[in-house]
Amino acid sequence: MASTAQVSPTLHLLCLPFWMLLFYCSAFDSHDYANALDKSILFFEGQRSGNLPSDQRLTWRGDSGLSDGSSYHVDLVGGYYDAGDNVKFGLPMAFTTTMLAWSVIEFGSSMKDQIHNAQTAIRWSTDYLLKASTTTPATLYVQVGEPNMDHRCWERPEDMDTPRNVYRVSTQNPGSDVAAETAAALAAASIVFKDSDPSYSNKLFKTATEVFEFADRYRGSYSDSLNSVVCPFYCSYSGYHDELLWGASWMYRASQNSSYLAYIQSNGLTLGADEDVYSFSWDDKRAGTKVLLSKDFLEKSVEEFQLYKVHADNYICSLIPGTSSFQAQYTPGGLLYKGSESNLQYVTSTAFLLLTYAKYLSSNGEVASCGTSTVTAANLISLAKKQMDYILGQNPTKMSYMVGFGDRYPQHVHHRGSSLPSVHAHPQHIACKDGFQYLYASSSNPNILDGAVLGGPDNKDSFSDDRNNYQQVEPATYINAPLVGALAFFAAIPTTHSG
Ligand SMILES: *[C@@H]1O[C@H](CO)[C@@H](O)[C@H](O)[C@H]1NC(C)=O
């Protein structure tokens, strides 16, 4: 077993009261977290596809993908590239959107002047998801770009000339996973825009209703329907049950409509309500659903959801060293470690769930039950903070894994646009194979992908800032999306410099 983080249930007793813990253990102050929050949202501008607006702040990017969908007579301009390449993958894009929206729902009141940028980042995606959802006949466009061809080139998005194939799921070729995640994204975003733009919010929710119904009625995994263009890239390894329950939970959260409550009650067990899964990602939504539905049990005593609180506790307890159900792995430096590829996605999603669960618990005077011991909201917050601080530079390599944050951060980000010269600096076309000299060059990326959090170090805290080491140096929208909420939480907590 790998060594564990020095976070134990007794730690907070030594540091009582809770606020003192933050003072005492803080490497960063609220100003630093606010700065990181700004950047974490700015990153999404680097991932934009489509027509860039005049207020685009990452100015090294240009317009791209302007005829996406046209050969299929559908407008699919816009949305986000998922990571370092030029494909628009629907499943991770929808999950990213759900997590950005959940970040704003829980922690938007702490975002201050960044709330507008956060909403803009969500809308960039939901505008696209609305275009991708057509209901007569029921069809959801779930991908633009042929990933195998795309990956054979190293090209700027502004230059790309690989096939912009369009892929969809339909009643004959269903994709309940991608469709239910899209419904979750639209429903969660409808909550975000409820006050600021009610008509947009209504449109999002109405479309979510239709997309969820399509997901539920025509059941199947998009991995079966689309196969080699979604696998192994974003294969739905966990199947579609988790997304159906997650989607229904967001429909319920957005509407409080009792028909979704009834759906969750009658389908929950067959859709994984009592299955304990210890990671939360673009593929597997089970842990997130447990936390999400716990709110209703804790706040409104919806008895039917007690099951979700029990399993949310199981998930949370698995992360806390010293409890009987502990089973996570931490690096010697204290980072949660799930796997060698893009590990920080699990760290940010876990930190978000820790903070959200802490919020639900503390506002209802509750604790998590871990066998014979209990874990408090303060325990969860201190573990989340340790993970955030590690990402931002308090770690054995003394490097920030957020690009542009701090004195030392990775220089060789695995990202086509960031690593190739900007189209504004070098307007001549750089062809497919000609770009590879930039992938393999030892020089730093010419364009700073501000705010991108990368895959991160290995299980021994080692990190190799090598552009071809995509497992560690590639960014992804779903790494940053839950981070936005977590950073907002810490940005709002007053801290003092403790030296
Ligand atoms: C609740 O949702 C169901 C399913 O989408 C719908 O048929 C019904 O009209 C909704 N009820 C209300 C009050 O909106």
Side-chain angles (χ1 to χ4, degrees):
M1 176 177 257
S3 29
T4 57
Q6 299 307 303
V7 176
S8 73
T10 53
L11 177 64
H12 86 287
L13 297 175
L14 301 174
C15 294
L16 273 177
F18 160 60
W19 299 111
M20 272 182 69
L21 170 72
L22 290 177
F23 293 148
Y24 183 72
C25 306
S26 192
F28 300 105
D29 66 14
S30 53
H31 179 79
D32 298 317
Y33 296 117
N35 181 16
L37 171 65
D38 294 4
K39 288 182 187 292
S40 71
I41 302 170
L42 182 56
F43 157 73
F44 287 91
E45 294 194 9
Q47 301 304 111
R48 283 174 169 175
S49 183
N51 268 302
L52 302 184
S54 57
D55 61 359
Q56 168 86 10
R57 293 172 296 164
L58 286 188
T59 51
W60 47 269
R61 282 293 323 280
D63 298 345
S64 63
L66 296 184
S67 48
D68 280 359
S70 61
S71 54
Y72 298 74
H73 309 291
V74 54
D75 172 8
L76 294 173
V77 176
Y80 288 117
Y81 304 116
D82 64 307
D85 58 24
N86 300 331
V87 182
K88 298 194 293 203
F89 288 103
L91 182 58
M93 200 197 304
F95 176 68
T96 294
T97 310
T98 310
M99 293 311 295
L100 274 176
W102 200 2
S103 289
V104 169
I105 291 165
E106 301 298 345
F107 304 112
S109 62
S110 303
M111 289 182 185
K112 302 203 181 95
D113 59 331
Q114 287 304 308
I115 187 71
H116 174 73
N117 288 329
Q119 289 176 344
T120 300
I122 294 167
R123 197 186 281 253
W124 193 268
S125 188
T126 48
D127 282 350
Y128 174 83
L129 294 176
L130 286 172
K131 293 191 212 176
S133 315
T134 55
T135 47
T136 43
T139 296
L140 180 66
Y141 292 93
V142 299
Q143 188 164 314
V144 182
E146 209 292 308
N148 297 291
M149 305 279 276
D150 178 272
H151 288 174
R152 277 179 219 134
C153 298
W154 194 260
E155 275 185 309
R156 301 176 292 197
E158 295 84 357
D159 276 343
M160 69 185 158
D161 44 14
T162 48
R164 298 302 283 171
N165 293 2
V166 168
Y167 303 96
R168 64 188 170 195
V169 292
S170 62
T171 55
Q172 285 83 28
N173 293 294
S176 302
D177 27 35
V178 66
E181 183 63 65
T182 301
L186 295 169
S190 78
I191 302 171
V192 169
F193 294 104
K194 206 168 210 81
D195 296 329
S196 60
D197 192 343
S199 72
Y200 189 65
S201 170
N202 287 339
K203 185 177 179 188
L204 292 169
F205 186 73
K206 182 172 173 293
T207 308
T209 307
E210 293 160 353
V211 175
F212 182 75
E213 173 157 334
F214 165 61
D216 186 43
R217 184 175 297 180
Y218 301 97
R219 290 193 180 193
S221 170
Y222 92 142
S223 298
D224 295 327
S225 301
L226 294 170
N227 211 287
S228 66
V229 295
V230 298
C231 296
F233 312 99
Y234 292 100
C235 208
S236 182
Y237 299 103
S238 69
Y240 60 83
H241 285 176
D242 59 305
E243 278 90 6
L244 281 179
L245 191 56
W246 167 248
S249 304
W250 277 109
M251 296 304 293
Y252 180 58
R253 177 78 174 262
S255 65
Q256 297 297 304
N257 177 330
S258 60
S259 72
Y260 293 110
L261 178 62
Y263 180 98
I264 293 164
Q265 281 173 239
S266 51
N267 295 287
L269 286 176
T270 51
L271 297 179
D274 63 349
E275 294 161 10
D276 286 316
V277 177
Y278 300 105
S279 66
F280 175 48
S281 71
W282 58 264
D283 180 32
D284 198 323
K285 320 297 154 53
R286 281 173 281 192
T289 303
K290 311 292 168 40
V291 170
L292 180 65
L293 292 180
S294 293
K295 182 176 196 282
D296 294 279
F297 173 71
L298 290 164
E299 272 175 20
K300 292 184 262 168
S301 304
V302 178
E303 282 305 318
E304 296 83 352
F305 289 170
Q306 179 166 22
L307 174 69
Y308 296 93
K309 168 36 164 103
V310 168
H311 287 281
D313 282 1
N314 290 350
Y315 170 74
I316 293 295
C317 297
S318 77
L319 300 162
I320 310 287
T323 69
S324 54
S325 34
F326 173 64
Q327 59 152 286
Q329 182 183 346
Y330 289 90
T331 66
L335 181 68
L336 177 68
Y337 187 78
K338 290 281 176 187
S340 59
E341 195 161 326
S342 193
N343 181 59
L344 289 182
Q345 68 178 300
Y346 305 104
V347 178
T348 59
S349 69
T350 299
F352 180 86
L353 291 186
L354 285 166
L355 295 170
T356 299
Y357 203 48
K359 180 184 168 188
Y360 296 168
L361 290 173
S362 63
S363 54
N364 296 285
E366 274 282 354
V367 293
S369 306
C370 303
T372 52
S373 52
T374 58
V375 171
T376 64
N379 295 138
L380 308 190
I381 292 167
S382 77
L383 177 55
K385 185 172 192 304
K386 180 158 186 161
Q387 302 304 308
M388 288 298 102
D389 290 355
Y390 186 111
I391 290 175
L392 295 178
Q394 195 178 17
N395 59 50
T397 65
K398 307 260 185 291
M399 175 180 272
S400 158
Y401 294 110
M402 175 184 276
V403 175
F405 183 89
D407 298 332
R408 283 187 72 223
Y409 52 83
Q411 301 293 318
H412 302 89
V413 180
H414 183 94
H415 186 275
R416 287 160 175 69
S418 172
S419 66
L420 288 151
S422 163
V423 281
H424 306 307
H426 187 293
Q428 301 88 337
H429 184 83
I430 301 173
C432 168
K433 301 290 180 200
D434 295 344
F436 281 106
Q437 60 175 302
Y438 297 97
L439 171 65
Y440 299 120
S442 58
S443 50
S444 298
N445 282 16
N447 310 306
I448 307 297
L449 187 60
D450 249 320
V453 171
L454 310 182
D458 68 14
N459 62 348
K460 302 277 195 319
D461 302 298
S462 300
F463 178 79
S464 167
D465 183 11
D466 166 357
R467 202 176 287 111
N468 209 23
N469 176 16
Y470 69 91
Q471 299 188 331
Q472 295 192 331
V473 301
E474 187 166 12
T477 56
Y478 43 88
I479 301 178
N480 271 53
L483 182 72
V484 168
L487 289 172
F489 175 87
F490 289 112
I493 292 182
T495 48
T496 53
H497 274 296
S498 55

